[in-house]
Amino acid sequence: MTAGFSIDRAEAVLVVVDVQERLAAVMDERQKVIANCRRLVDGAAILGVPAIVTEQYPKGLGPTEEELRGALSSSSPVAKPSFSCCKEPAFMERLDALARRKIILCGMETHVCVLQTGLDLLREGFD
């Protein structure tokens, strides 16, 4: 991030990556992660920033954590088989339809799914 970088809510999208029940069950500080994601979800809702939520292999890893599921009820989850959200056409279609270029990322498995998504978004020209 560069000095003076700001996010205009009219240009932003919140992407919540794979905060799922079975993943959360084995995470250190799971409640802290979920609470921080919930703060971002609630803040985005207040500011009118749309959210996209993803689920990695939901059949095996379960749905999005209940605490977030209710707050994200206006956004049905995008199921994905790959680590990066960008490799899922449905995710990219939903993101492109919003026509916003500033991405706020949060989620679980930061070292894999969140990181790979962030790197791919940067390659695609998103901030």
Side-chain angles (χ1 to χ4, degrees):
M1 189 159 31
T2 60
F5 181 83
S6 65
I7 298 175
D8 181 330
R9 66 183 173 179
E11 298 174 352
V13 178
L14 174 64
V15 176
V16 181
V17 181
D18 308 344
V19 184
Q20 293 165 256
E21 291 177 348
R22 292 193 187 125
L23 284 175
V26 296
M27 290 289 160
D28 288 338
E29 300 187 47
R30 79 183 269 287
Q31 281 310 117
K32 188 184 224 180
V33 172
I34 293 168
N36 286 335
C37 288
R38 179 63 192 258
R39 272 190 205 94
L40 287 170
V41 167
D42 291 345
I46 290 167
L47 295 171
V49 173
I52 300 174
V53 59
T54 67
E55 294 177 343
Q56 174 78 30
Y57 180 60
K59 187 185 283 187
L61 298 175
T64 299
E65 268 289 325
E66 186 176 346
E67 185 176 336
L68 293 178
R69 205 172 28 229
L72 290 163
S73 60
S74 64
S75 178
S76 60
V78 175
K80 62 185 188 64
S82 58
F83 293 132
S84 173
C85 297
C86 297
K87 296 203 181 337
E88 175 52 49
F91 171 81
M92 293 305 293
E93 288 168 13
R94 198 175 291 184
L95 187 58
D96 289 342
L98 292 170
R100 294 169 179 234
R101 305 302 294 177
K102 308 284 185 185
I103 310 299
I104 303 164
L105 276 177
C106 68
M108 290 205 164
E109 296 288 2
T110 341
H111 63 291
V112 179
C113 296
V114 176
L115 174 64
Q116 288 189 22
T117 298
L119 292 172
D120 284 347
L121 286 168
L122 288 170
R123 278 191 277 280
E124 293 290 327
F126 290 89
D127 291 326

PDB file of all heavy atoms in Angstrom, residues 10 13 24 26 51 74 89 108 114:
ATOM      1  N   ALA A  10     -17.638   3.678  -3.239  1.00  0.00           N
ATOM      2  CA  ALA A  10     -18.281   3.470  -4.533  1.00  0.00           C
ATOM      3  C   ALA A  10     -17.426   2.611  -5.464  1.00  0.00           C
ATOM      4  O   ALA A  10     -17.901   2.136  -6.492  1.00  0.00           O
ATOM      5  CB  ALA A  10     -18.572   4.814  -5.194  1.00  0.00           C
ATOM      6  N   VAL A  13     -15.229  -3.464  -3.069  1.00  0.00           N
ATOM      7  CA  VAL A  13     -15.940  -4.725  -2.888  1.00  0.00           C
ATOM      8  C   VAL A  13     -15.250  -5.468  -1.748  1.00  0.00           C
ATOM      9  O   VAL A  13     -14.022  -5.524  -1.694  1.00  0.00           O
ATOM     10  CB  VAL A  13     -15.858  -5.621  -4.153  1.00  0.00           C
ATOM     11  CG1 VAL A  13     -16.556  -6.950  -3.922  1.00  0.00           C
ATOM     12  CG2 VAL A  13     -16.423  -4.921  -5.359  1.00  0.00           C
ATOM     13  N   ALA A  24     -12.931 -23.515  10.228  1.00  0.00           N
ATOM     14  CA  ALA A  24     -12.860 -22.727  11.460  1.00  0.00           C
ATOM     15  C   ALA A  24     -12.657 -23.614  12.686  1.00  0.00           C
ATOM     16  O   ALA A  24     -11.969 -23.223  13.632  1.00  0.00           O
ATOM     17  CB  ALA A  24     -14.125 -21.888  11.625  1.00  0.00           C
ATOM     18  N   VAL A  26     -10.789 -25.988  13.269  1.00  0.00           N
ATOM     19  CA  VAL A  26      -9.404 -26.373  13.562  1.00  0.00           C
ATOM     20  C   VAL A  26      -8.439 -25.184  13.542  1.00  0.00           C
ATOM     21  O   VAL A  26      -7.224 -25.372  13.634  1.00  0.00           O
ATOM     22  CB  VAL A  26      -8.911 -27.465  12.574  1.00  0.00           C
ATOM     23  CG1 VAL A  26      -9.725 -28.731  12.750  1.00  0.00           C
ATOM     24  CG2 VAL A  26      -8.947 -26.978  11.138  1.00  0.00           C
ATOM     25  N   ALA A  51     -20.609  -7.246  -0.980  1.00  0.00           N
ATOM     26  CA  ALA A  51     -19.739  -8.331  -0.526  1.00  0.00           C
ATOM     27  C   ALA A  51     -19.947  -9.553  -1.400  1.00  0.00           C
ATOM     28  O   ALA A  51     -21.060  -9.839  -1.839  1.00  0.00           O
ATOM     29  CB  ALA A  51     -20.030  -8.674   0.932  1.00  0.00           C
ATOM     30  N   SER A  74     -27.523 -11.504   1.871  1.00  0.00           N
ATOM     31  CA  SER A  74     -27.838 -10.912   0.563  1.00  0.00           C
ATOM     32  C   SER A  74     -26.871 -11.370  -0.524  1.00  0.00           C
ATOM     33  O   SER A  74     -27.062 -11.068  -1.694  1.00  0.00           O
ATOM     34  CB  SER A  74     -27.829  -9.384   0.661  1.00  0.00           C
ATOM     35  OG  SER A  74     -26.528  -8.932   0.982  1.00  0.00           O
ATOM     36  N   PRO A  89     -14.840 -19.119 -12.557  1.00  0.00           N
ATOM     37  CA  PRO A  89     -15.529 -18.179 -13.447  1.00  0.00           C
ATOM     38  C   PRO A  89     -16.717 -17.461 -12.802  1.00  0.00           C
ATOM     39  O   PRO A  89     -16.929 -16.268 -13.050  1.00  0.00           O
ATOM     40  CB  PRO A  89     -15.977 -19.060 -14.617  1.00  0.00           C
ATOM     41  CG  PRO A  89     -14.998 -20.192 -14.628  1.00  0.00           C
ATOM     42  CD  PRO A  89     -14.669 -20.434 -13.171  1.00  0.00           C
ATOM     43  N   MET A 108     -10.182 -17.085   5.782  1.00  0.00           N
ATOM     44  CA  MET A 108      -9.385 -18.106   6.455  1.00  0.00           C
ATOM     45  C   MET A 108      -8.396 -18.683   5.458  1.00  0.00           C
ATOM     46  O   MET A 108      -8.544 -18.519   4.259  1.00  0.00           O
ATOM     47  CB  MET A 108     -10.281 -19.213   6.990  1.00  0.00           C
ATOM     48  CG  MET A 108     -11.118 -18.747   8.139  1.00  0.00           C
ATOM     49  SD  MET A 108     -11.587 -20.103   9.177  1.00  0.00           S
ATOM     50  CE  MET A 108     -12.098 -19.209  10.608  1.00  0.00           C
ATOM     51  N   VAL A 114      -6.541 -16.918   0.569  1.00  0.00           N
ATOM     52  CA  VAL A 114      -6.583 -15.456   0.563  1.00  0.00           C
ATOM     53  C   VAL A 114      -5.376 -14.907  -0.203  1.00  0.00           C
ATOM     54  O   VAL A 114      -5.511 -14.015  -1.042  1.00  0.00           O
ATOM     55  CB  VAL A 114      -6.655 -14.883   1.999  1.00  0.00           C
ATOM     56  CG1 VAL A 114      -6.610 -13.361   1.985  1.00  0.00           C
ATOM     57  CG2 VAL A 114      -7.923 -15.366   2.704  1.00  0.00           C
TER      58      VAL A 114
END
